[in-house]
Amino acid sequence: MTDRVCVAQIIGSHGVHGRLRVKSFTADPEAVFDYNPLTDETGTRQFTLRMTGMGKDHLLVEASGVKGRDAADALKGVRLFVDRDRLPAIEDEDEFYHTDLIGLVTVTEGPEGDVAFGTIKAIHDFGAGDMLEINHVSGKTVFIPFSRACVPLIDVKASRVVVDPPVNLFTPARPDPEELAEMGGKLDLDDEPVTSDSGEETVEETGEAR
């Protein structure tokens, strides 16, 4: 476990006077202000934040020592940290600090034991619940829901995360009915668009072009 935890990130500037747009990672977004002052990743620069408003998915803040649009723009992407011992202890076994999960190796369970799946890169919330971003062993980046069904076991102390990814995780997206109509026919799972002699795209089905 790390001694410092990322609790927010500066995602951009707001206005011309040096205000910042900040994404909070605390359960209650406004609780991030309880941990002032925050530091950058190196721990050498401190920021005392004051809330001035709210955006759709971020906070609008003033930060000590940040004056003007250029200074605010220069901070885009900076992650803000707090010493771990200032954070409340986690008592619920289903709650975790993101920093404790990032970098852990995930596995799937098989009849002959664990099979390596990938490494957790980040945790995101795109609006429909948390998703794990995983660097798969194939080299691809995949996303799986951070739910009990898809992540049945997390043992931070043992650095072991068991995943049960959705069966269609690696299935290519198929056209919806409207897209199929525009393509001029149906498309079975094994069919692929082909090009006719005229250069127009057709769909091959049961050996015949439509």
Side-chain angles (χ1 to χ4, degrees), residues 81-92:
F81 290 77
V82 65
D83 289 341
R84 189 186 188 92
D85 58 13
R86 295 180 60 196
L87 297 172
I90 295 178
E91 299 179 355
D92 190 329

Side-chain angles (χ1 to χ4, degrees), residues 38-166:
L38 308 178
T39 65
D40 64 6
E41 191 164 3
T42 67
T44 58
R45 186 173 183 182
Q46 290 190 343
F47 300 89
T48 297
L49 307 183
R50 185 180 72 84
M51 182 174 173
T52 62
M54 294 190 68
K56 182 179 180 181
D57 59 355
H58 60 271
L59 304 170
L60 302 179
V61 307
E62 291 180 346
S64 56
V66 180
K67 304 295 183 182
R69 180 66 176 262
D70 290 344
D73 285 341
L75 295 173
K76 182 177 180 179
V78 171
R79 296 190 298 163
L80 303 175
F81 290 77
V82 65
D83 289 341
R84 189 186 188 92
D85 58 13
R86 295 180 60 196
L87 297 172
I90 295 178
E91 299 179 355
D92 190 329
E93 63 178 9
D94 291 328
E95 292 185 352
F96 307 91
Y97 285 124
H98 287 193
T99 190
D100 293 336
L101 301 181
I102 294 172
L104 293 186
V105 173
T106 63
V107 300
T108 57
E109 292 183 317
E112 299 182 0
D114 290 347
V115 178
F117 184 79
T119 304
I120 298 175
K121 179 181 179 181
I123 298 94
H124 304 280
D125 184 355
F126 298 117
D130 286 338
M131 301 285 288
L132 292 184
E133 180 182 354
I134 297 177
N135 289 332
H136 188 255
V137 291
S138 66
K140 297 180 179 179
T141 297
V142 298
F143 295 84
I144 66 172
F146 191 17
S147 64
R148 176 70 72 177
C150 293
V151 190
L153 177 66
I154 297 177
D155 188 339
V156 174
K157 291 183 179 180
S159 299
R160 182 171 182 263
V161 179
V162 175
V163 297
D164 184 10

Side-chain angles (χ1 to χ4, degrees), residues 161-203:
V161 179
V162 175
V163 297
D164 184 10
V167 294
N168 62 345
L169 183 64
F170 295 100
T171 302
R174 312 302 292 181
D176 61 31
E178 291 184 0
E179 292 173 327
L180 289 178
E182 292 179 358
M183 294 170 67
K186 296 181 179 179
L187 186 67
D188 293 335
L189 289 178
D190 295 328
D191 292 334
E192 294 294 340
V194 298
T195 302
S196 67
D197 292 340
S198 65
E200 295 179 353
E201 187 176 75
T202 62
V203 176

